[in-house]
Amino acid sequence: MGDSRTNVRLTTPVDRSAEFRSGGRRLAHLTRITPRRFTASTGTPVRGIVVGMHRVVDLGVLYFGTPVVLISTRNPDGTANVAPMSSAWWLGDQCMLGMGTGSQTSRNMARERECVLNLPSSGLVGAVDRLALLTGCPIMTPHKIEKGYRYEPDKFTAAGLTQLPADLVAAPRVAECPIQLECEVLATEPFGIDTGALAHTVRVLRAHVAEELIIPGTAHIDPVGWDPLIMKFCEFFGNGAQLHPSRLATAWQIPSAATSH
């Protein structure tokens, strides 16, 4: 306390003279950072040394960290399918889901126009990982075969999960998930350019939430009590810590800090 060095913000002007392009792709290189320290209130430079370095990288993966969702749908024969994904975000009562065009879940959603979004807590990481390389489609693409996927008609049992009937849709809920959102599919559109993905927009029709996660006397979830399972660069995290080895990360050959040195 009383140390003027504690009330600072850092800026890092970058010398971009080292930028190169080859064939339209930026090459990885180091950029020099001008050491500078400023006070938070006036922006006036003060004494101090800040040393930093950034590298321009053509990143292979952009999964910076999003909640895992188990999407349950109904197959053409009426059986249940459940699949993990993490390309999801919410706005109001709607959600955008990014899914591969060839996935059984995408086919089911396009046909049935409904699903259940089940949000697992970090404690369900083992069950989610067991689902990672399973597919509900008996005809697999060369890509899935290369990554080690296998066909599994009963993914609930394979993952050790339990089906619960939903109220408004035919797809089941996942009993073990603390949050279960029954949804209708509003739209399905191609996502981006040459991504091989679809963007499904869904609307939440009914939410089922574990009693202990609801702030008493409100219709709000306790953000401290809710510990979502997060997928970050194909690895599982909860409460900021890495939780469990990821089969998906292995299949996609995602390097870890521990093994890359």
Side-chain angles (χ1 to χ4, degrees):
M1 296 179 65
D3 186 343
S4 62
R5 293 176 298 174
T6 62
N7 185 29
V8 298
R9 62 180 173 85
L10 305 181
T11 65
T12 54
V14 176
D15 174 8
R16 299 189 180 277
S17 61
E19 288 190 0
F20 299 94
R21 289 181 180 272
S22 175
R25 295 172 66 85
R26 182 176 294 174
L27 300 179
H29 68 281
L30 298 180
T31 57
R32 299 182 183 278
I33 306 303
T34 303
R36 195 170 297 177
R37 187 183 292 264
F38 294 85
T39 63
S41 57
T42 66
T44 304
V46 297
R47 291 185 178 181
I49 296 177
V50 180
V51 179
M53 193 171 288
H54 289 75
R55 183 184 296 271
V56 175
V57 182
D58 187 7
L59 292 173
V61 178
L62 297 176
Y63 298 155
F64 295 102
T66 46
V68 172
V69 180
L70 296 182
I71 305 182
S72 48
T73 56
R74 191 171 64 169
N75 292 317
D77 62 1
T79 59
N81 185 59
V82 61
M85 58 88 71
S86 60
S87 297
W89 60 273
W90 284 262
L91 189 62
D93 64 349
Q94 297 176 33
C95 177
M96 197 285 287
L97 307 166
M99 299 287 294
T101 56
S103 75
Q104 186 64 37
T105 297
S106 277
R107 295 190 184 100
N108 290 347
M109 290 174 64
R111 183 187 63 257
E112 302 288 326
R113 311 302 297 173
E114 62 182 32
C115 64
V116 180
L117 307 183
N118 305 275
L119 277 61
S121 65
S122 62
L124 288 174
V125 62
V128 173
D129 190 55
R130 287 191 289 273
L131 286 169
L133 296 180
L134 301 181
T135 176
C137 182
I139 302 174
M140 287 191 289
T141 63
H143 171 74
K144 285 195 172 183
I145 294 173
E146 176 193 355
K147 297 300 181 185
Y149 282 77
R150 70 174 177 86
Y151 169 59
E152 173 54 63
D154 187 0
K155 292 162 75 174
F156 269 89
T157 299
L161 298 173
T162 309
Q163 298 183 41
L164 279 180
D167 295 341
L168 304 177
V169 301
R173 297 181 284 144
V174 177
E176 289 79 5
C177 288
I179 300 173
Q180 307 146 3
L181 308 174
E182 300 184 38
C183 299
E184 63 175 336
V185 177
L186 299 179
T188 298
E189 302 288 344
F191 175 75
I193 300 173
D194 297 329
T195 63
L198 296 171
H200 301 280
T201 302
V202 304
R203 174 184 287 132
V204 177
L205 301 175
R206 179 160 294 177
H208 306 262
V209 181
E211 184 71 32
E212 64 270 17
L213 291 182
I214 302 173
I215 298 175
T218 76
H220 293 272
I221 291 175
D222 177 5
V224 176
W226 170 228
D227 178 26
L229 179 60
I230 300 294
M231 175 152 278
K232 183 165 55 174
F233 297 105
C234 294
E235 298 283 3
F236 294 114
F237 286 79
N239 267 333
Q242 191 167 358
L243 299 174
H244 190 282
S246 169
R247 302 181 195 196
L248 196 63
T250 300
W252 284 81
Q253 299 180 331
I254 304 297
S256 67
T259 60
S260 60
H261 298 295

